[in-house]
Amino acid sequence: MAGLTIGKFADAEGVGVETVRFYQRRGLLAQPARGRSGFREYTEDDRWRLAFIRRAQGLGFTLAEISDLLGPAEARSTDEIVRTAEAKLAAVADQLGELARLQCRLRRLVQVCAHGSSDDCLALHLGDGHLGDGHLGREHPGREHFGYEHLSDTHDQLSSSVLSSPR
């Protein structure tokens, strides 16, 4: 692969020339030296680095995180990569938890809209100012009561059916 111009290098790695230049501006890829032809020529190390960037992006790492992983001289140890990956894994677990809570709230909204009055559904009243915070039938602070007291009786039923639903 050594000796490839930017166009051929980009094509070989499945990215655009502007992507290569963007990574160079961000310091993720070095500007290669000029070959005998006068053109900048990319090496096997450049290929490895670009492939690493693409794989890391596929795993959800940001460009800043990738820059930290690669380091200025690719001198990162496997321990540092493991620590960074573990931190990313923890962040993903937190995101999954948030998504699961959102999914639960949306399922409750669907239940309220499907089985409640249209007023209940249109008001999106599933909690104290927050969509589906688990307190059906509570008043919004500083707002008039919307008459959802009948929903508070069904909260436990909806929560347990939503949580056990395989949707």
Side-chain angles (χ1 to χ4, degrees):
M1 166 98 45
L4 289 180
T5 61
I6 191 169
K8 290 179 183 176
F9 173 68
D11 284 344
E13 296 303 317
V15 298
V17 168
E18 286 307 312
T19 299
V20 172
R21 288 186 177 135
F22 175 76
Y23 292 156
Q24 288 171 335
R25 285 191 301 272
R26 293 289 305 257
L28 295 168
L29 286 174
Q31 190 75 257
R34 295 192 185 273
R36 291 183 188 148
S37 65
F39 294 105
R40 296 191 184 276
E41 295 180 355
Y42 292 82
T43 67
E44 197 62 31
D45 286 342
D46 296 322
R47 180 180 172 269
W48 178 90
R49 197 167 176 100
L50 180 55
F52 181 93
I53 293 165
R54 304 286 290 162
R55 284 192 308 271
Q57 284 181 308
L59 291 171
F61 287 97
T62 65
L63 292 180
E65 291 167 332
I66 294 168
S67 179
D68 288 343
L69 282 173
L70 286 170
E74 301 169 39
R76 294 291 182 199
S77 71
T78 55
D79 289 342
E80 290 174 291
I81 292 172
V82 166
R83 279 193 298 277
T84 303
E86 285 173 341
K88 188 59 150 183
L89 188 58
V92 167
D94 289 345
Q95 290 173 330
L96 287 172
E98 287 296 318
L99 288 172
R101 286 186 285 282
L102 176 60
Q103 182 181 38
C104 228
R105 291 189 300 261
L106 289 170
R107 283 183 178 154
R108 284 192 301 237
L109 175 63
V110 168
Q111 291 292 322
V112 167
C113 290
H115 302 293
S117 74
S118 61
D119 289 341
D120 293 340
C121 183
L122 292 175
L124 298 177
H125 187 74
L126 292 174
D128 294 329
H130 296 92
L131 179 64
D133 65 359
H135 302 288
L136 290 172
R138 307 295 194 274
E139 292 182 341
H140 287 278
R143 296 184 186 176
E144 68 278 0
H145 185 65
F146 290 105
Y148 295 102
E149 49 282 338
H150 65 283
L151 288 177
S152 62
D153 296 334
T154 62
H155 174 257
D156 292 334
Q157 294 169 342
L158 286 175
S159 290
S160 63
S161 69
V162 166
L163 289 174
S164 62
S165 172
R167 285 191 210 180

